[in-house]
Amino acid sequence: TTTTTTSDPQNYLQSLAQAWEAAARLPPSCADVRTVCLRLGVVLGRDGGSYAMAKLPFQLGLGGRLGSGTQFFPWIHVEDVCRLVWHVLDHSVGSSSSSSS
C-alpha cells in the first residue's frame, strides 16, 4: 500500500524555521555564549538576490501581474541586513546604542 500525505506549505516552513532555531540552541554548558536567530523576509538588492532574478522575465516582456496586488510581501534590503548583522555582532545583549546616519 502507498500512502500519500498532503501538507500545508506554510506549516512546513514554520516547522522548518523552528527546527533550525532549535538546532541553533546551545547546551547549558555554553551558557556564556550568545546565540542570535534572525528571521528575515526576502532579501532584495538592486544588484543581486531575489530582485535581480525576478526582474529578468519582466525585462524580457514575460512578466505579469502576481496575484491581486494586495497580498503581503515581507522583504528587507540587503544593506539593512548587513547593518543588522553588524549591529548584532557589535553590541552585547542589554546594551543600548544610538543610531546615527
Side-chain angles (χ1 to χ4, degrees), residues 50-67:
S50 301
Y51 177 72
M53 291 185 290
K55 76 177 182 178
L56 181 61
F58 288 90
Q59 289 176 330
L60 297 173
L62 302 172
R65 197 164 114 185
L66 303 173

Side-chain angles (χ1 to χ4, degrees), residues 86-98:
W86 184 259
H87 178 83
V88 168
L89 292 171
D90 199 38
H91 295 83
S92 62
V93 176
S95 70
S96 61
S97 67
S98 60

Side-chain angles (χ1 to χ4, degrees), residues 5-17:
T5 59
T6 58
S7 61
D8 179 6
Q10 292 206 343
N11 286 340
Y12 170 74
L13 292 176
Q14 177 183 2
S15 298
L16 183 61

Side-chain angles (χ1 to χ4, degrees), residues 7-79:
S7 61
D8 179 6
Q10 292 206 343
N11 286 340
Y12 170 74
L13 292 176
Q14 177 183 2
S15 298
L16 183 61
Q18 289 172 343
W20 284 342
E21 289 173 359
R25 285 190 205 105
L26 298 174
S29 61
C30 298
D32 59 334
V33 177
R34 187 176 83 165
T35 303
V36 177
C37 293
L38 301 175
R39 286 191 181 185
L40 303 173
V42 176
V43 178
L44 298 177
R46 187 170 296 280
D47 299 322
S50 301
Y51 177 72
M53 291 185 290
K55 76 177 182 178
L56 181 61
F58 288 90
Q59 289 176 330
L60 297 173
L62 302 172
R65 197 164 114 185
L66 303 173
S68 67
T70 60
Q71 61 273 17
F72 183 68
F73 183 75
W75 66 277
I76 185 168
H77 193 273
V78 65
E79 290 179 10

